[in-house]
Amino acid sequence: MDSNLLKFLYDDNQKVEPEWYIPIIPLVLVNGAEGIGTGWACKIPNYDPREIVNNINRMLNHQDPLPMLPSYKNFKGVIHELGQNQYLVSGEVSVIDKNTIEITELPVRTWTQAYKESVLEPMLQGSDKTPALINDYKEYHTDTTVKFVVRLSEEKLAQAEAVGLHKVFKLQSSLTCNSMVLFDHMGCLKRYDSVQDILKEFFELRLHYYKLRKDWLLGSLGAEASKLSNQARFVLEKIEGKVSIENKSKRELIRMLVQKGYESDPVAAWSKAQEKALEEDYRDGNESDGSLDSGSSSGPNFNYILNMPLWCLTKEKVEELLKQRDQKRGELNDLQRKSSEDLWKEDLAVFIEELDVSSVF
């Protein structure tokens, strides 16, 4: 729905992708971002899209967004906030009996093979300076779950519990996000102090584009409704004998339609006005090909009426044309009653509904 509002790029005079897309939620917070640039390193964790949607709805209702903790799909551990943009990520470990513990979650981005090689194997083998801590371990992983069953002496388990199982078995990691650097909508690198700053900037820009979307749809629906209204009026007046087109020149027909108050093709006129506005805004030198003009740039364009086939005069086609006209008018009236905020809320509701169905998150 927003493709007509975006600034598309050109490659060898061919229209390609737009400068950027604008989704209904900030995907950089859903997917996270991490990379190293010269002086511009970036690290942004993942966040729950449902929390993001909830915060956007709060801002649409003129409320402040709530704080959000990083969130990773299928992660069963716990993430604690230590300070501004600093978090502690903990896996899951539990005591099964006096000689056995079970590790069922590792810190985010810690893989089972790497954990086994760097933590459990050294604990099992021991070294000259550090005696072995565990007696044995077994693995019962699946493609989506982690499960290490570790056996150790009762004395060693008591010592580990006293120090802290998460600490002893290295099931905690820190997550620091003090370098949130992104390109803004102007293509400029910008450092953000918090996730809320990213969300608020996105919110302002996206709401502006919902206003642009509403204006575009109002213009488009209005032009289509006017076109159908003129076509329906012409057909009805033709059936009732109020207009006659037989054995008349095209010039006479156009003069008659103008005198009766018919509009020159509303859709073509509106589309041409949008093209002209885009050319003035972008000034890229990409001139319109004039395909929407229908060869009538020197005067009013009534081809959309005069080119209708005769079967449009049948009862079924007349009823269909009137139904289309009323439907388009209904859509236009519904849109006029909605605010830009309403349009965004509707999109978010559909998104959450599809998210629940797909079980992606």
Side-chain angles (χ1 to χ4, degrees):
M1 288 186 178
D2 295 314
S3 61
N4 293 309
L5 309 174
L6 304 178
K7 180 180 178 180
F8 280 79
L9 302 175
Y10 287 82
D11 185 12
D12 290 335
N13 291 325
Q14 294 292 320
K15 187 177 181 181
V16 289
E17 72 278 356
E19 196 172 37
W20 39 258
Y21 290 100
I22 185 161
I24 64 172
I25 62 173
L27 289 181
V28 71
L29 298 184
V30 178
N31 297 325
E34 186 169 348
I36 298 174
T38 306
W40 297 101
C42 175
K43 186 169 185 179
I44 298 176
N46 301 32
Y47 291 88
D48 187 340
R50 290 181 175 82
E51 287 191 58
I52 295 173
V53 169
N54 179 58
N55 271 335
I56 291 176
N57 277 316
R58 286 180 61 85
M59 289 188 283
L60 289 171
N61 293 325
H62 309 291
Q63 297 174 311
D64 292 330
L66 298 174
M68 297 189 299
L69 287 175
S71 176
Y72 295 85
K73 178 186 176 184
N74 294 332
F75 177 64
K76 300 190 295 290
V78 180
I79 300 179
H80 293 285
E81 184 175 12
L82 300 178
Q84 178 70 18
N85 297 330
Q86 292 184 329
Y87 307 94
L88 180 67
V89 183
S90 304
E92 282 194 337
V93 58
S94 58
V95 178
I96 303 302
D97 56 43
K98 62 183 181 180
N99 297 107
T100 310
I101 65 169
E102 187 177 81
I103 298 171
T104 54
E105 185 63 281
L106 302 176
V108 172
R109 295 183 180 176
T110 300
W111 303 102
T112 52
Q113 185 65 24
Y115 180 77
K116 180 175 69 173
E117 294 175 356
S118 64
V119 178
L120 294 183
E121 283 295 333
M123 286 183 173
L124 179 63
Q125 302 297 332
S127 65
D128 295 336
K129 296 181 179 180
T130 306
L133 176 64
I134 63 177
N135 299 330
D136 187 23
Y137 70 88
K138 303 234 179 249
E139 301 176 72
Y140 302 95
H141 317 303
T142 68
D143 58 338
T144 57
T145 62
V146 175
K147 187 175 180 180
F148 287 103
V149 176
V150 182
R151 295 188 62 80
L152 64 169
S153 67
E154 184 176 351
E155 181 184 357
K156 295 287 187 183
L157 177 55
Q159 293 175 357
E161 285 186 288
V163 176
L165 292 178
H166 283 87
K167 183 176 181 180
V168 171
F169 286 91
K170 298 180 180 179
L171 291 173
Q172 290 180 324
S173 65
S174 61
L175 179 60
T176 303
C177 311
N178 288 325
S179 185
M180 297 186 180
V181 179
L182 300 170
F183 286 103
D184 64 12
H185 69 286
M186 299 297 291
C188 300
L189 279 171
K190 182 176 179 179
R191 186 184 299 276
Y192 297 86
D193 294 329
S194 67
V195 171
Q196 279 72 21
D197 290 342
I198 297 175
L199 189 60
K200 288 177 181 178
E201 184 170 300
F202 174 85
F203 177 82
E204 296 298 331
L205 180 67
R206 193 64 184 91
L207 186 58
H208 172 66
Y209 269 79
Y210 269 102
K211 294 175 182 175
L212 296 179
R213 180 201 285 189
K214 181 181 177 181
D215 292 341
W216 179 279
L217 290 177
L218 283 174
S220 176
L221 284 173
E224 292 175 11
S226 295
K227 180 177 180 178
L228 288 168
S229 180
N230 278 272
Q231 287 177 321
R233 175 192 165 195
F234 178 82
V235 169
L236 290 174
E237 290 188 347
K238 174 60 181 169
I239 293 173
E240 294 169 358
K242 295 181 179 179
V243 296
S244 174
I245 61 174
E246 291 83 359
N247 199 28
K248 290 183 179 180
S249 67
K250 186 175 182 180
R251 184 182 297 273
E252 289 177 306
L253 291 175
I254 291 176
R255 186 183 300 114
M256 176 194 69
L257 292 174
V258 170
Q259 290 174 348
K260 286 183 172 292
Y262 285 91
E263 296 179 74
S264 177
D265 192 339
V267 173
W270 181 80
S271 299
K272 188 174 182 180
Q274 300 308 308
E275 288 182 4
K276 185 177 180 181
L278 288 175
E279 289 176 4
E280 291 176 354
D281 287 343
Y282 300 152
R283 299 186 184 280
D284 286 337
N286 300 297
E287 297 184 2
S288 170
D289 59 6
S291 59
L292 294 173
D293 195 19
S294 301
S296 58
S297 58
S298 59
N301 177 6
F302 292 111
N303 291 342
Y304 75 104
I305 290 178
L306 299 178
N307 285 347
M308 285 193 297
L310 284 174
W311 47 261
C312 282
L313 300 176
T314 61
K315 181 179 179 181
E316 294 82 4
K317 289 298 179 182
V318 170
E319 291 175 351
E320 181 182 343
L321 192 59
L322 292 173
K323 183 179 179 181
Q324 290 176 349
R325 179 199 64 183
D326 295 338
Q327 180 180 352
K328 199 62 67 174
R329 284 178 175 175
E331 292 177 13
L332 183 60
N333 291 333
D334 289 342
L335 181 61
Q336 287 173 334
R337 286 193 293 267
K338 294 176 182 177
S339 65
S340 305
E341 290 82 357
D342 292 333
L343 296 180
W344 198 351
K345 288 178 181 179
E346 289 178 359
D347 282 353
L348 292 174
V350 173
F351 170 70
I352 288 296
E353 183 178 345
E354 291 296 327
L355 197 64
D356 293 337
V357 172
S358 64
S359 301
V360 175
F361 284 89

